[in-house]
């Protein structure tokens, strides 16, 4: 857990100044040399990564003994205990707000009326183990008593209750930020647990702040390597990217922990949840379930209970998979297994079907004439001659268990069916070109190869080349081009196109292999003035990484930019590109004008660069060469009758080129019409601080109006944050009605110290406190937009978030630095 309480559903209504406090988040000093690891303990308590359940992701503070008992019952009844899930872990909010008279932690008498020891006895009686939560600070993340300075007493208390697992968090830690302080605080609890006399698995949860993989072996049995996970694809993708390279540091009794599982919580697709479990297993990560198992779907239980994937995670060799390759969003992981097999994972982080593969010689596989591949999700068994490969769906992962194969004749050859389809425009005169490639990776030939492509009803798919081949030898392929036409009345969205290869192999056996490519349909924009960043492009090409929406280009990753910044001016809408770049939009002759600021972004001032707007084949506006640091230039382009809009940047390769605040007018839109999607300003700071104050006066923090940073108008708010953090906010104007809006957002810029950013609201006459738990981190000298969808904001039990009755809006900031914010708004 990173930050304040993620869910306050069990708390009563919180009055204006009685709100939860935040925490400090710090990074290890640059260039700090890791200290020598303490000597390992004789007993290895976690020879394989721990497996179990933790209540936090699904319940937050709404934890009690009934939930824990029922979860233990379900784990046994659903077969999860038999599959290896053994720990039932209680997270934050389990204790009373004050220690007992003897200084000991006291279970909340309402939530745990029979105490923790009785609960441990119950869980042990089920053949399971009980875990608990503590904090290496003065308070836990939710404001309950921490263990800093009480390590021995708390360790003895937990041991006396029969606790088997300790998650030890890092909130309110009073730290100076040094790695040495982290080692001191976490080693203190390690030593206390050793003195307590009971084997307790020790999970260090300091969010990777001090690079614990460098020092925590021998201190903890596992350690968090990242910030908190969230139940969305962007979070999962980011955490995989951070944890996968740390494979040299993991092993029996010392595991990298990329956080708990979100499988079953509803924020991702089944494909993404299978990637979640697959990559965690390949990374030898703890498998700690974070969903309500009592109400889990059959699909969720099937994913969590996949014995073949679990076996990879729990393999007794205890090796985290090595990253064999990682390029353009495609990653190959290679994990040795006991008995000589290897697990090979083909992971596709991109947004489209992609072929992911690796020569067997680039992995740890011994040379062989053929290899047996078993797909651990489908159970399909094939053989490959020398390339381990698959067509992997967007956000998907294929995992093979691989071994050498002496006789391949009776095993079906591995055949890859790849497909690529550009964006589709509806209409008989707008054909998209589908390309399919069928490749035989098997040791023997495939014969009578025939390819078909099937689209939704009303679509027309026509081959423009050969769809059959009498024979494909090893590594030979059949490439076919097709035209794809969508009906005139199809709506914008995503549609499946199924490509199937049918072929014979061996002694007359016949089989098929299929892949699904997603057709993205774009239509002409609806009438009105709208931010171009909200319009789906027909195609994009970029000089560095992906084109970024409403942020600068950043680096090669997705979503790694800042607010667009040109000559010191900040924008929270636009398109971040890198030269040479091109964006193409289908307008269909329905639009009239584009107005946009352009310039080289301040984050990477390579220049000059030239911006050009093309209507069909004609340049209708151009900037001429623009230098780094120059003020933005406004381009106005007449698009009357234009079917295709094309934006290009040329000049210095890699120059970060911004299309800032671009507004496209279509239909009968007038210059004074509002820009869509609509934004509703809550606080602008144009006339002062708008009444902003701190929620917890004793924690500290000040606010002043400032012109140093603004994204709307001419002024923003300068915030001096306290190290542990505070909530800053004010009552919303009485006339403000947020009905119809989807969420809240604000812009921020940091100085020498980074910060966590979060949003909370108080609703109704009782000023009930509601918030979510994203806790987005912003690095020093960076800027970004913090967003919080209303759907993710949770209120106490019995309270519904009525956006029309939001009375107060709060933003959370921390770490003791100066942070600038502006344009608190509803979107």
């Amino acid at each position: 857990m990173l930050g304040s309480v993620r869910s306050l559903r069990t708390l009563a209504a919180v009055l204006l100044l009685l709100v939860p406090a935040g925490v400090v988040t710090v990074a290890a000093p640059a260039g700090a040399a890791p200290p020598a690891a303490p000597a390992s303990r004789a007993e290895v308590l976690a020879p394989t990564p721990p497996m179990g359940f933790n209540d936090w992701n699904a319940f937050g503070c709404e934890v009690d003994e009934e939930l824990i008992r029922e979860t233990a019952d379900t784990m046994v009844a659903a077969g999860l205990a038999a599959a290896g899930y053994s720990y039932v872990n209680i997270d934050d909010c389990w204790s009373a707000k004050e220690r007992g008279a003897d200084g000991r932690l006291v279970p909340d008498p309402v939530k745990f009326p029979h105490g923790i020891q009785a609960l441990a006895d119950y869980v042990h009686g089920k053949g399971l183990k009980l875990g608990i939560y503590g904090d290496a600070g003065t308070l836990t993340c939710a404001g309950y008593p921490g263990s800093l300075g009480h390590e021995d007493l708390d360790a003895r208390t937990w041991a006396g209750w029969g606790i088997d697992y300790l998650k030890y968090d890092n909130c309110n830690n009073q730290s100076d930020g040094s790695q040495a302080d982290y080692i001191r605080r976490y080693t203190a609890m390690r030593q206390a647990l050793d003195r307590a006399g009971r084997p307790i698995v020790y999970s260090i949860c300091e969010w990777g702040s001090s690079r614990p993989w460098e020092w925590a072996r021998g201190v903890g049995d596992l350690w968090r390597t990242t910030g908190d996970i969230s139940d969305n694809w962007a979070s999962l993708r980011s955490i995989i990217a951070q944890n996968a390279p740390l494979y040299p540091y993991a092993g029996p009794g010392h595991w990298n922990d990329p956080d708990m599982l979100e499988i079953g919580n509803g924020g991702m697709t089944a494909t993404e949840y299978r990637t979640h479990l697959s990559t965690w297993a390949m990374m030898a990560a703890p498998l700690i379930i974070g969903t309500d198992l009592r109400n889990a779907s059959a699909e969720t239980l099937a994913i969590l209970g996949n014995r073949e994937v679990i076996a990879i995670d729990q393999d007794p060799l205890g090796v985290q998979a090595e990253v064999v390759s990682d390029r353009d969003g495609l990653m190959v992981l290679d994990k040795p297994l006991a008995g000589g097999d290897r697990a090979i994972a083909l992971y596709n982080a991109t947004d489209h079907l992609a072929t992911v593969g690796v020569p067997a010689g680039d992995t740890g596989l011994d040379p062989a004439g053929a290899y047996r591949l078993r797909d651990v999700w489908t159970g399909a068994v094939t053989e490959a001659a020398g390339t381990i490969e698959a067509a992997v769906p967007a956000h998907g992962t294929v995992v093979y268990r691989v071994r050498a194969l002496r006789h391949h004749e009776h095993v079906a050859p591995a055949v890859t069916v790849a497909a690529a389809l550009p964006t589709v425009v509806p209409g008989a005169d707008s054909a998209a070109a589908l390309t399919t490639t069928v490749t035989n990776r098997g040791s023997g030939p495939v014969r009578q190869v025939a390819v078909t492509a099937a689209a939704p009803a009303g679509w027309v798919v026509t081959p423009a080349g050969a769809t059959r081949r009498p024979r494909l030898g090893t590594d030979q392929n059949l490439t076919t081009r097709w035209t794809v036409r969508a009906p005139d009345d199809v709506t914008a969205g995503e549609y499946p196109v199924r490509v199937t290869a049918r072929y014979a192999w061996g002694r007359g056996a016949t089989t098929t292999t299929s892949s699904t490519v997603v057709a993205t349909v774009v239509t002409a924009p609806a009438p009105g003035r709208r931010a171009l960043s909200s319009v789906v492009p027909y195609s994009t090409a970029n000089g560095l990484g992906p084109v970024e929406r409403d942020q600068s280009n950043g680096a090669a990753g997705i979503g790694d930019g800042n607010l667009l910044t040109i000559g010191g001016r900040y924008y929270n809408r636009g398109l971040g590109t890198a030269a040479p770049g091109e964006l193409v939009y289908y307008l269909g002759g329905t639009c009239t004008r584009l107005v946009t600021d352009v310039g080289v972004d301040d984050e990477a001032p390579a220049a000059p660069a030239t911006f050009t707007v093309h209507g069909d084949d004609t340049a209708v506006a151009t900037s001429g060469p623009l230098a780094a640091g120059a003020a933005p230039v406004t381009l106005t382009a007449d698009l009357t009758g234009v079917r295709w809009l094309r934006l290009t940047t040329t000049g210095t390769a890699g120059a970060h080129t911004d299309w800032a605040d671009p507004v496209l007018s279509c239909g009968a839109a007038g210059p004074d019409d509002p820009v869509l999607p609509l934004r509703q300003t809550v606080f602008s700071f144009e006339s002062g601080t708008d009444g902003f104050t701190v929620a917890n006066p004793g924690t500290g923090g000040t606010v002043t109006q400032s012109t140093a940073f603004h994204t709307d108008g001419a002024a923003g708010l300068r915030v001096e944050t306290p190290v542990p953090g505070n909530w800053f906010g004010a009552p919303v104007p009485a006339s403000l009605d947020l009905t119809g809006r989807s969420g809240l957002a604000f812009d921020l810029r940091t100085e020498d110290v980074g910060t966590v950013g979060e949003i909370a609201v108080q609703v109704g006459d009782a000023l009930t406190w509601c918030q979510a738990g994203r806790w987005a981190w912003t690095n020093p000298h960076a800027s970004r937009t913090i967003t919080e969808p209303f759907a993710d904001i949770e209120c106490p039990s019995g309270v519904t978030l009525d956006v029309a009755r939001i009375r107060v809006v709060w933003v959370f900031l921390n770490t003791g630095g100066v942070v600038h914010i502006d344009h608190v708004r509803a979107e």
Side-chain angles (χ1 to χ4, degrees), residues 115-258:
I116 301 297
Q117 185 169 348
L119 184 59
D121 292 341
Y122 183 86
V123 170
H124 292 158
K126 293 284 181 178
L128 301 171
K129 300 177 181 180
L130 186 68
I132 208 160
Y133 169 96
D135 188 278
T138 54
L139 296 172
T140 71
C141 295
Y144 293 80
S147 295
L148 187 64
H150 302 271
E151 290 86 357
D152 277 297
L153 180 59
D154 292 351
R156 290 197 305 271
T157 299
W158 294 325
W161 288 343
I163 293 298
D164 305 293
Y165 184 111
L166 171 64
K167 173 184 172 181
Y168 203 47
D169 219 330
N170 189 39
C171 290
N172 300 294
N173 53 34
Q174 314 305 307
S175 176
D176 61 7
S178 67
Q179 192 179 67
D181 175 74
Y182 278 69
I183 295 171
R184 178 187 60 78
R185 287 185 294 113
Y186 280 94
T187 300
M189 180 55 75
R190 166 75 276 150
Q191 294 170 343
L193 291 172
D194 290 342
R195 288 189 289 266
R198 179 180 176 82
I200 297 176
V201 169
Y202 184 28
S203 171
I204 293 174
C205 181
E206 55 80 80
W207 325 309
S209 300
S210 68
R211 302 175 65 85
W213 50 89
E214 294 180 346
W215 58 263
R217 180 176 180 177
V219 178
D221 300 289
L222 58 154
W223 48 79
R224 280 279 297 279
T225 57
T226 70
D228 282 6
I229 193 170
S230 297
D231 187 24
N232 60 74
W233 171 245
S235 174
L236 178 60
R237 179 188 61 213
S238 173
I239 286 179
I240 294 170
Q242 294 174 70
N243 192 76
L246 300 178
Y247 59 89
Y249 299 96
H254 52 98
W255 306 106
N256 292 317
D257 177 9

Side-chain angles (χ1 to χ4, degrees), residues 203-584:
S203 171
I204 293 174
C205 181
E206 55 80 80
W207 325 309
S209 300
S210 68
R211 302 175 65 85
W213 50 89
E214 294 180 346
W215 58 263
R217 180 176 180 177
V219 178
D221 300 289
L222 58 154
W223 48 79
R224 280 279 297 279
T225 57
T226 70
D228 282 6
I229 193 170
S230 297
D231 187 24
N232 60 74
W233 171 245
S235 174
L236 178 60
R237 179 188 61 213
S238 173
I239 286 179
I240 294 170
Q242 294 174 70
N243 192 76
L246 300 178
Y247 59 89
Y249 299 96
H254 52 98
W255 306 106
N256 292 317
D257 177 9
D259 206 3
M260 299 172 285
L261 300 171
E262 291 281 8
I263 296 166
N265 287 333
M268 289 185 271
T269 66
T271 295
E272 291 163 346
Y273 282 142
R274 285 190 288 270
T275 283
H276 195 349
L277 193 70
S278 296
T279 52
W280 260 233
M282 293 297 296
M283 296 187 297
L287 302 181
I288 306 298
I289 297 168
T291 195
D292 183 356
L293 287 173
R294 304 168 304 172
N295 298 301
S297 67
E299 182 178 62
T300 292
L301 293 175
I303 293 173
L304 291 170
N306 186 309
R307 297 292 186 98
E308 294 191 53
V309 178
I310 291 171
I312 292 171
D313 180 77
Q314 296 291 295
D315 186 81
L317 284 185
V319 177
Q320 179 173 331
E322 180 178 351
V323 180
V324 176
S325 65
D326 183 11
R327 178 187 294 181
D328 299 328
L330 308 179
M331 181 184 290
V332 176
L333 298 166
D334 175 23
K335 177 180 170 71
L337 304 175
D341 289 1
R342 300 189 83 88
I344 306 292
L346 311 174
Y347 162 52
N348 175 14
T350 74
D351 296 331
H352 51 79
L353 178 74
T355 300
V356 187
V358 61
D362 289 352
T363 71
L365 289 164
D366 292 331
Y371 298 94
R372 179 184 186 271
L373 315 180
R374 180 177 173 85
D375 187 317
V376 300
W377 285 105
T378 69
V381 175
T382 56
E383 61 85 15
T387 299
I388 315 299
E389 183 181 86
V392 185
H395 306 178
T397 304
V398 171
V399 181
Y400 290 126
R401 190 171 185 122
V402 185
R403 67 179 63 161
L405 182 65
R406 289 187 178 181
H407 303 288
H408 65 81
E409 296 83 1
H410 303 294
V411 181
V415 172
T416 303
V417 178
L421 179 62
T423 306
V424 177
V425 175
D429 61 343
S430 299
L434 167 67
T435 302
T436 62
T437 302
V438 178
T439 304
N440 174 26
R441 294 300 186 186
S443 300
V446 295
R447 303 178 303 278
Q448 303 169 23
V449 181
V451 189
T452 58
W459 291 51
V460 178
V461 182
T462 306
T467 62
R468 296 177 179 273
R469 184 71 60 83
R471 185 182 188 277
L472 290 178
T474 299
D475 295 335
Q476 291 183 334
N477 61 65
L478 166 61
T479 296
T480 306
R481 289 175 174 80
W482 315 67
T483 58
V484 178
R485 289 180 171 87
D488 291 343
D489 59 353
V490 71
T491 57
E494 295 184 342
Y495 299 84
V497 176
R498 186 76 168 170
V499 180
T500 301
R502 183 180 180 85
Y503 48 91
W505 62 276
R507 296 183 177 180
T510 301
T511 192
T512 60
T513 300
S514 298
S515 294
T516 298
V517 62
V518 175
T520 300
V521 173
V522 296
T523 55
R529 297 175 71 227
R530 67 188 62 251
L532 188 62
S533 58
S534 69
V535 178
V536 177
Y538 175 80
S539 65
T540 64
N542 204 41
L544 176 66
V547 172
E548 299 286 6
R549 177 178 176 267
D550 295 334
Q551 60 181 286
S552 63
N553 189 86
I558 302 171
D560 57 4
N562 295 286
L563 294 174
L564 296 98
T565 313
I566 306 172
R569 180 175 174 181
Y570 294 88
Y571 300 81
N572 54 28
R573 271 179 168 167
L575 297 157
T577 67
E582 178 184 73
L583 300 94
V584 179

